Amino acid sequence: MSAINMPLYLSVCSRDFEELRENLAGWDHEYELMKPGGFSGYMKVADFLGTQVSLVRWGNAIRYRGTTQERSFAFGFPISQSYPGEWMGLRSTINDIIVQRPGRAAEFYAPSLWEALVVRIPERKFLRLHAVLSGSEAEISAMPHGTVSLRPSDATLLRQLARGYFRTLTSQVRAITSVAVQRSLLCDLTEQLERELVLSLIKARNLELPVPNLASPDALVRKAEELVRGAQQRRIGIAELCAYLDVSERALHYAFTETRGTPPAAWLRRMRLNQTYRLLRKNDPARGLVKKVALENGFMHFGRFAEQYKRHFGERPSETLHRSVGPYRK
């Protein structure tokens, strides 16, 4: 067994499935090993904004039985699995997300190899986000308690976000000594993961996404651009932008796609890339601050940032830095 502890994050590797169960706080559940051959597995758990995000790997067939934390929805989505699992007697395939409603008991037979994203979201938070993205209020009784088949493209994106989330946890974020900075970066990641999970569910259930009634989408986008440009010394995420503008995320998404032909997240990434470019051109090449500048502008996975940067500007970030035109150029 090995464990890594840091503020806001726990990682456990073990050959004892009961140890994994005991470290998943807030659940009333039990595990049973269903096949001979022993067990090995791990889990990585992050808890932010009331949302618990876990990456779980079971190396042998396990039966889960229990309930999630009171007044919380739980979701299980396979990253990889050796064969379909069984949720409440129903076959659970690679693109199926498991939904467990608050206070409802459930049973899941996992395959002999099961790696999954497990997310627990407070009931009020989930229903509020669902209402924002779908445009209509929903009761708990209207939510599924079972499996929902995601669209293949949405399933692929959710897996990418899950892998990126924990890759960031185990690399860049753990290297940051400031708990406040850790929290800020991980809150951004958690909100992005929550939005994609809920939006994938809405689309999978064929709920119609309404067209917002906006008097001037172009004026809204211009105001968003002004806000982001005026806050260059700190990051503004989608949720904060919506709060400043007093609009829903769905309305902001509609305004950007209608007037700029791109969703707000892609536009915001482009703005951050350009701000990073400007800062690198003015920095001292001898100080080698590429990673620092990238993190300050919201790029938490350096490999992906470098790819996006080169695709956008036609050169690597280090190349921009080493041809600095600022006061450090000789």
Side-chain angles (χ1 to χ4, degrees), residues 143-170:
M143 294 295 111
H145 178 70
T147 60
V148 177
S149 295
L150 300 187
R151 298 178 182 181
S153 58
D154 291 330
T156 298
L157 177 57
L158 194 56
R159 285 190 189 92
Q160 291 173 348
L161 287 175
R163 290 189 179 105
Y165 186 98
F166 286 97
R167 193 161 46 231
T168 300
L169 276 178
T170 54

Side-chain angles (χ1 to χ4, degrees), residues 30-306:
E30 61 183 42
Y31 295 170
E32 292 180 347
L33 188 64
M34 304 305 292
K35 289 185 177 182
F39 176 86
S40 64
Y42 66 75
M43 70 175 194
K44 302 174 182 180
V45 186
D47 206 328
F48 306 101
L49 307 173
T51 296
Q52 185 185 80
V53 183
S54 308
L55 183 66
V56 177
R57 185 185 188 277
W58 293 342
N60 202 344
I62 293 286
R63 183 181 74 163
Y64 154 89
R65 184 169 57 186
T67 61
T68 182
Q69 189 177 44
E70 186 178 359
R71 298 188 181 281
S72 293
F73 281 88
F75 307 90
F77 180 66
I79 304 298
S80 61
Q81 60 184 26
S82 52
Y83 52 84
E86 186 179 296
W87 173 261
M88 303 291 287
L90 299 175
R91 191 166 176 263
S92 176
T93 63
I94 190 66
N95 285 341
D96 290 347
I97 187 168
I98 295 168
V99 183
Q100 188 170 359
R101 288 195 344 219
R104 295 285 296 275
E107 185 176 66
F108 175 58
Y109 285 85
S112 56
L113 175 60
W114 190 67
E115 184 182 29
L117 170 70
V118 179
V119 182
R120 192 187 70 208
I121 304 178
E123 173 187 306
R124 288 186 179 179
K125 187 179 185 181
F126 171 77
L127 293 175
R128 182 172 63 249
L129 184 55
H130 191 283
V132 167
L133 295 174
S134 68
S136 61
E137 300 291 334
E139 298 292 333
I140 293 178
S141 58
M143 294 295 111
H145 178 70
T147 60
V148 177
S149 295
L150 300 187
R151 298 178 182 181
S153 58
D154 291 330
T156 298
L157 177 57
L158 194 56
R159 285 190 189 92
Q160 291 173 348
L161 287 175
R163 290 189 179 105
Y165 186 98
F166 286 97
R167 193 161 46 231
T168 300
L169 276 178
T170 54
S171 55
Q172 285 96 330
V173 176
R174 288 184 60 226
I176 298 171
T177 57
S178 167
V179 174
V181 175
Q182 285 179 352
R183 186 177 295 275
S184 174
L185 294 175
L186 292 172
C187 283
D188 288 348
L189 280 174
T190 301
E191 288 177 348
Q192 181 185 15
L193 189 63
E194 288 171 336
R195 284 196 301 270
E196 184 55 38
L197 188 153
V198 176
L199 189 58
S200 295
L201 276 174
I202 291 170
K203 291 192 288 185
R205 299 176 66 212
N206 294 317
L207 299 179
E208 184 178 353
L209 298 177
V211 175
N213 182 19
L214 295 175
S216 178
D218 188 61
L220 178 64
V221 168
R222 287 199 302 271
K223 181 63 176 176
E225 291 172 340
E226 291 172 7
L227 284 169
V228 173
R229 290 194 176 100
Q232 291 183 353
Q233 299 306 310
R234 66 184 186 89
R235 297 188 317 279
I236 293 184
I238 298 297
E240 190 177 2
L241 198 56
C242 290
Y244 273 122
L245 298 169
D246 193 25
V247 296
S248 69
E249 292 186 23
R250 180 62 184 162
L252 188 69
H253 187 277
Y254 173 80
F256 269 92
T257 53
E258 184 74 8
T259 63
R260 299 294 188 266
T262 187
W267 165 83
L268 193 57
R269 181 171 60 251
R270 188 170 61 212
M271 294 281 285
R272 290 172 174 170
L273 281 170
N274 278 281
Q275 173 66 0
T276 303
Y277 179 81
R278 286 190 290 270
L279 290 173
L280 289 176
R281 291 184 74 247
K282 296 177 182 178
N283 263 311
D284 179 0
R287 297 177 65 188
L289 298 177
V290 173
K291 285 189 177 181
K292 182 176 182 293
V293 173
L295 281 170
E296 288 175 348
N297 283 276
F299 295 103
M300 289 161 282
H301 184 268
F302 189 72
R304 187 174 299 121
F305 156 72

